[in-house]
Amino acid sequence: MKSKTVSADGRQKAPYLGFMLAVATAAGMATAAYSQSTTPPLSTYGTPGLVELPTAQVFYDGALAFNATKLGSTERYNVTFQVLPRVYGTFRYSNVTNFDRSFDIHFQLADEARFRPALAVGLRDFLGTGIFSSEYFVATKGFGSRVQVTGGIGWGRLAGRNSFDNPLSVFSDRFDNRKAGFTGTGGQLETGDWFRGPASLFGGLSYKVSDQLSLMAEYSPDLYTRETNAGIADIATPLNVGLLYRFKNGVDLKGFVVGGNEIGAQLSYVINPAKRSIPGGLELAPVPVGSRARLAVADWNNSAAGGGVAAVTRVLRSRLENEGLELQGYIPGTRSATIRIENQRWDVEAQAAGRAARIMAETLPPEVEEFRVVFQKDGVPNSRVVTQRSDLEEFQYDYDGAWRTFARADIQDAAGLGRRGELEGTFPRFDYSLSPYAAYSFFDPDQPIRVDVGPQLKFSYKPLPGLNFSGRLRYPIAGNIEDSVRLSNSQLPAVRTDAVLYARESDLELNTLTAEYIWRPGENLFARTTAGYLESMYGGVSAELLWYPVNSRLAFGVEANYAKKREYDILFGFRDYDVLTGHASAYYDFGNGFVGQIDAGRYLAGDWGATFSLDREFNNGFTLGGFFTLTDVPFDQFGEGSFDKGLKFEVPLSWFTGKPSKTTLSETIRPILRDGGARLNVNNRLFGYVRDERGKELRDGWGRYLR
C-alpha cells in the first residue's frame, strides 16, 4: 500500500506525543491528577472559568490541562499550561465554520485575600485569526467553601450584548474604535485592537454541592454573531448554565446549555508535570556502601591472586550492567580510579552517577578513596563526576545526604581522555532494531489529524568512538496522510509545503542514511559532522561546533549546512534545489526550569532571520515549550499564519511508568506549516546531545544521587 509519514514540521515521527497526548489521561489519572479541591473548573475555552466565561483563578505552577468541548455543531480542543505561578497560556484548535487555531494568555494581578477578590487580565485569541478575539479584566471571590462569584468587563467578542462606551477612552480616544476581522493572513499580534471598542459587563457564580458536584450559572455578553450568521447557533438569552461532575480519577465531565438553546458537553483533565506518576519510582534500591574492612577480607575480586585488574574489570562490568550502565573504560589507580560509562537506563544522570559510584565502592580495593565517573556517548567523553569514597560511606543514610555529597563532589569537563582505558570489545559495534511506528500530520483543514503506521528498521555501525554509520527504513502499510489534497501555494521555494507529495509518491522509504562523527576538539568544545540523506526531504552535509563550559548556564554554537532536496520517492535521487543554510545559536538556562535559545541565520528557503525558543523543564524530564521565527519574508508572502511558530512537548517514558528509562516521547506542533523560517532537520544537534551530562543538569538532578 502506498502511504507516507509527514508531521506538522515535515518530519517523520515515531508513535510520539501526537498519540501520547490523547493517552496521557489514562496513563497518569490515578496518581498524577491534581487534588480536585484545588483544581479550578475549566471553561469551554480550556481556561479556569464557569461555562464560557473566564474567572480570575489560575492553576498550580506547571499545571497542564487538556479540554475537549462539543457545543451544538462546533468543537473546541484546548491545551492550557501554567507557565508561571500567575501566568497561563492556552493553545486552541476549534471547528466553527472551519478549523481554526488560536492562542490565549492570562495574567493574575492579585490572588484572593480575606477582603479582596482575585484579579486578572486576559487576552483570548490574541494570536490567531481572531474569531474568538476578546480581552477582559475579571475578579473572583469565594464566600465560604461552596460559593464563588465572578464579575468582569470585556471587549471584542465579550462586548456583544448591552455594550457601552469604552471606559478606557478617558485616557485616549483611540480606544473608541475596534477593527473587525484580522490583518492580512492572520497569526499576528493585533495590538492595535486590544481593549478597543465598546465594552460589556459579564458575571456568574458557581455553587459546590459536594466534592464531586458543582452548579454554575453566568451572564455572557457573547452574541455568537459568526455562528448565528452561519446558521449553526441559536442564542436566545445571555444566560448560560452548567453542571459539573468530578470523577475521583481526576476527569471532569460538564454538561451545559448556552444561550437557552445550544446544548454542550465537555471533558477536562489536569495533570502535574512536576510530579512523577509513581512518587519515588519503581527502581530497585541501590547496593549499600559496605565497610572497607569487609571488602578487604573478600578480596577475591581485586587481588593479584584473584586475577588483578582483569578480575576487577569483569566484576565492574557485570555489576554496572545490572544497573543499566555500560562500562566502556576502566583506568585503575592506587588512590583514585576512573570508569567510563554510558548510561542506558537512568533518565536522571545524577542518579546514574550515584549508582556507578556505589558499584565502585562495592568492588574496588579499600585503599581507593577517589571515584571518577566519566559520562560518555558512543565512546565520546562528556563530563566527569569526582566523589570521595568516605563521603559515600558517611552520607548514604543521611536525610540530606545527597546535597552533602554534592557540596563535596566535583564536576569536571572530560575532554582529552582520548581512548585511554577503553575496554577491549567496546568498538566496533553493530546495532539494529525492527519495530512498528506511527506518524502524525496535524491541522490539515480537511482532516485535523492524519496518521500512518507501519514497520521500521533502524541500524547502525560504530567502528570507532564518535563515528556512526546509520540509517532508517520505513514502510507505511496503513494510513491517510497521502490523502491530503492540500498542495503548496507558496510564493517561496516549496521547501516544506510540498510535504504531501512525499506522502503520495513514496512506498518503501529510505528515511535517513548518514555518516556522523562527533568528537571533542578541546576543553568545553564539542564538534559534529554529518553527511548523507539527513532527513526525509533533504540530503547533504552538516557541520556544527558547540562551546559549552561544564558548569555554565550559557552555551554558544555555530552550524553550517549544504542541503539538496530529495526526490519525492525518498530513495536515492535528488531534485533541482539546493541551498546553503546555517545558524549561530545561543543557549541560556534561566533557572527554575526555563531554558531559552536563539538561532540566527539562513533558512531553507534562503530567508534570513532568527528563531526564539523558550522551554519549561521539570526535574523529571517533562518539558513544554514554544517558539517563533521571524525572517525577512513579509507576512503576506509567508502566507497563512504570517510567521512560523509552534509548541514543543517532551515526556519521559518514566513519567508514565515510574520505571527508569532513557526513552523520551516528543512532538513539535505547528499551527500551520509554511516555507518561511523552515530549518533543516539533523539528528544529534550538539546542545541536546550533550546537555543532560553537563554540570548544571547534573546539579539539578542531584537530589536522586543516593537513590
Side-chain angles (χ1 to χ4, degrees):
M1 174 177 178
K2 181 180 173 183
S3 188
K4 180 61 177 59
T5 58
V6 182
S7 71
D9 58 357
R11 289 180 288 178
Q12 285 77 34
K13 291 289 185 180
Y16 285 174
L17 210 61
F19 172 75
M20 294 308 297
L21 287 177
V23 177
T25 55
M29 267 178 199
T31 55
Y34 279 109
S35 167
Q36 292 175 323
S37 61
T38 60
T39 306
L42 273 64
S43 71
T44 61
Y45 287 90
T47 66
L50 297 169
V51 179
E52 298 240 288
L53 296 176
T55 64
Q57 296 171 291
V58 293
F59 298 110
Y60 185 83
D61 187 27
L64 182 63
F66 300 91
N67 172 279
T69 297
K70 177 72 172 176
L71 174 59
S73 59
T74 66
E75 305 164 41
R76 295 174 194 158
Y77 304 95
N78 311 285
V79 179
T80 299
F81 177 45
Q82 190 72 36
V83 184
L84 293 168
R86 293 184 181 274
V87 181
Y88 66 70
T90 300
F91 170 69
R92 180 176 307 106
Y93 191 58
S94 56
N95 180 13
V96 181
T97 54
N98 51 42
F99 285 102
D100 182 82
R101 287 84 59 187
S102 58
F103 295 86
D104 300 355
I105 193 164
H106 174 105
F107 301 86
Q108 189 183 65
L109 305 175
D111 53 10
E112 185 175 346
R114 182 178 180 184
F115 297 110
R116 183 193 65 211
L119 302 172
V121 59
L123 295 92
R124 185 177 283 175
D125 195 1
F126 75 99
L127 189 62
T129 58
I131 66 170
F132 298 119
S133 178
S134 52
E135 305 81 46
Y136 57 84
F137 286 99
V138 63
T140 300
K141 185 74 174 73
F143 296 91
S145 60
R146 296 184 179 275
V147 178
Q148 191 175 77
V149 178
T150 292
I153 181 173
W155 291 262
R157 184 151 172 160
L158 286 174
R161 189 186 301 270
N162 295 326
S163 60
F164 47 84
D165 291 341
N166 193 339
L168 297 179
S169 296
V170 300
F171 301 106
S172 172
D173 57 9
R174 69 175 182 271
F175 287 101
D176 288 337
N177 299 311
R178 183 186 189 98
K179 298 191 301 292
F182 59 90
T183 300
T185 55
Q188 302 178 36
L189 295 174
E190 304 285 349
T191 56
D193 279 345
W194 292 354
F195 303 98
R196 305 294 175 89
S200 294
L201 298 177
F202 62 82
L205 60 86
S206 64
Y207 177 73
K208 190 174 182 180
V209 179
S210 66
D211 287 343
Q212 276 71 50
L213 185 64
S214 296
L215 305 175
M216 52 195 67
E218 64 182 23
Y219 170 87
S220 172
D222 188 349
L223 290 173
Y224 274 77
T225 303
R226 182 187 183 97
E227 293 83 350
T228 300
N229 291 341
I232 58 175
D234 181 10
I235 304 299
T237 173
L239 298 179
N240 305 328
V241 294
L243 175 69
L244 171 70
Y245 187 82
R246 320 198 85 166
F247 293 91
K248 293 182 179 180
N249 61 7
V251 173
D252 284 0
L253 175 62
K254 182 192 290 185
F256 51 88
V257 179
V258 170
N261 297 313
E262 299 297 332
I263 299 174
Q266 171 184 308
L267 275 174
S268 305
Y269 183 65
V270 183
I271 61 176
N272 186 354
K275 293 184 179 179
R276 295 170 180 262
S277 298
I278 301 175
L282 294 177
E283 66 268 22
L284 296 175
V287 298
V289 179
S291 70
R292 299 196 210 191
R294 177 186 61 79
L295 189 61
V297 173
D299 65 352
W300 62 269
N301 62 336
N302 51 45
S303 66
V309 173
V312 174
T313 302
R314 284 196 301 271
V315 175
L316 277 173
R317 188 197 294 267
S318 175
R319 290 177 172 175
L320 287 167
E321 184 179 351
N322 290 336
E323 293 285 0
L325 304 170
E326 181 188 0
L327 181 66
Q328 296 183 346
Y330 172 50
I331 306 173
T334 303
R335 293 286 299 166
S336 68
T338 300
I339 61 172
R340 303 175 64 163
I341 63 169
E342 181 162 334
N343 173 22
Q344 298 176 335
R345 176 182 298 172
W346 305 96
D347 53 324
V348 178
E349 303 296 331
Q351 190 170 7
R355 295 277 173 140
R358 286 174 178 267
I359 295 298
M360 296 178 78
E362 184 67 10
T363 307
L364 299 184
E367 61 269 18
V368 178
E369 168 62 18
E370 185 174 85
F371 299 151
R372 300 183 176 189
V373 177
V374 175
F375 283 107
Q376 53 190 44
K377 289 183 180 178
D378 294 326
V380 180
N382 187 335
S383 61
R384 175 171 45 231
V385 178
V386 182
T387 307
Q388 303 305 308
R389 187 180 205 151
S390 55
D391 293 337
L392 291 174
E393 294 168 340
E394 180 180 357
F395 296 131
Q396 66 171 320
Y397 299 121
D398 191 288
Y399 177 77
D400 200 27
W403 296 110
R404 292 189 178 189
T405 58
F406 176 75
R408 299 185 186 183
D410 188 17
I411 301 174
Q412 307 168 350
D413 187 70
L417 278 179
R419 302 183 71 173
R420 194 149 51 96
E422 182 181 302
L423 299 184
E424 184 179 353
T426 302
F427 294 97
R429 57 201 305 169
F430 178 74
D431 298 300
Y432 72 93
S433 65
L434 180 63
S435 63
Y437 79 93
Y440 301 89
S441 174
F442 299 106
F443 308 133
D444 184 326
D446 302 313
Q447 184 72 42
I449 300 177
R450 295 181 183 272
V451 62
D452 280 348
V453 296
Q456 71 174 2
L457 173 66
K458 299 171 67 176
F459 53 89
S460 67
Y461 175 67
K462 302 169 184 177
L464 298 169
L467 182 59
N468 184 14
F469 299 94
S470 65
R472 179 169 64 184
L473 290 166
R474 284 182 169 179
Y475 188 77
I477 59 175
N480 62 351
I481 292 180
E482 68 171 356
D483 296 336
S484 174
V485 296
R486 191 174 171 84
L487 298 178
S488 175
N489 62 354
S490 180
Q491 301 180 42
L492 300 171
V495 296
R496 290 298 184 199
T497 52
D498 60 354
V500 67
L501 297 179
Y502 286 85
R504 289 182 181 178
E505 298 189 20
S506 64
D507 290 308
L508 176 66
E509 168 196 325
L510 181 62
N511 188 258
T512 61
L513 184 65
T514 60
E516 175 191 81
Y517 185 50
I518 295 176
W519 75 101
R520 301 294 309 271
E523 184 176 358
N524 296 320
L525 290 173
F526 298 83
R528 173 188 58 81
T529 301
T530 311
Y533 298 102
L534 303 174
E535 52 149 295
S536 62
M537 296 177 69
Y538 290 90
V541 180
S542 174
E544 183 183 6
L545 181 67
L546 176 71
W547 176 77
Y548 193 170
V550 67
N551 288 306
S552 175
R553 293 176 178 267
L554 180 67
F556 292 102
V558 291
E559 177 183 298
N561 310 297
Y562 169 73
K564 188 171 180 64
K565 197 168 186 181
R566 298 178 63 180
E567 281 289 358
Y568 294 138
D569 61 8
I570 317 183
L571 290 174
F572 297 101
F574 287 95
R575 301 188 64 78
D576 187 21
Y577 181 82
D578 61 347
V579 62
L580 291 174
T581 177
H583 291 78
S585 302
Y587 313 86
Y588 189 74
D589 189 325
F590 292 95
N592 196 31
F594 287 93
V595 178
Q597 177 176 340
I598 300 176
D599 303 289
R602 193 176 193 227
Y603 294 83
L604 284 172
D607 47 331
W608 293 82
T611 300
F612 303 85
S613 305
L614 184 65
D615 294 343
R616 176 74 185 276
E617 302 176 341
F618 300 92
N619 284 345
N620 57 20
F622 203 114
T623 301
L624 299 101
F627 65 91
F628 65 92
T629 300
L630 299 175
T631 73
D632 56 2
V633 175
F635 288 168
D636 57 350
Q637 187 178 358
F638 179 93
E640 183 183 354
S642 300
F643 60 96
D644 186 51
K645 50 191 169 291
L647 302 173
K648 297 182 289 185
F649 300 86
E650 290 186 7
V651 184
L653 184 62
S654 60
W655 189 87
F656 294 101
T657 65
K659 297 180 180 180
S661 172
K662 294 287 288 181
T663 301
T664 297
L665 314 172
S666 62
E667 189 64 76
T668 298
I669 298 178
R670 282 177 163 84
I672 187 69
L673 174 64
R674 302 295 296 176
D675 296 312
R679 192 173 179 184
L680 187 68
N681 299 319
V682 182
N683 286 330
N684 294 332
R685 282 196 163 106
L686 290 173
F687 182 73
Y689 184 80
V690 307
R691 179 171 178 254
D692 286 347
E693 296 166 351
R694 300 305 276 174
K696 175 62 169 57
E697 289 302 292
L698 285 166
R699 182 170 70 248
D700 287 348
W702 206 268
R704 300 185 71 86
Y705 180 75
L706 293 178
R707 293 186 64 88

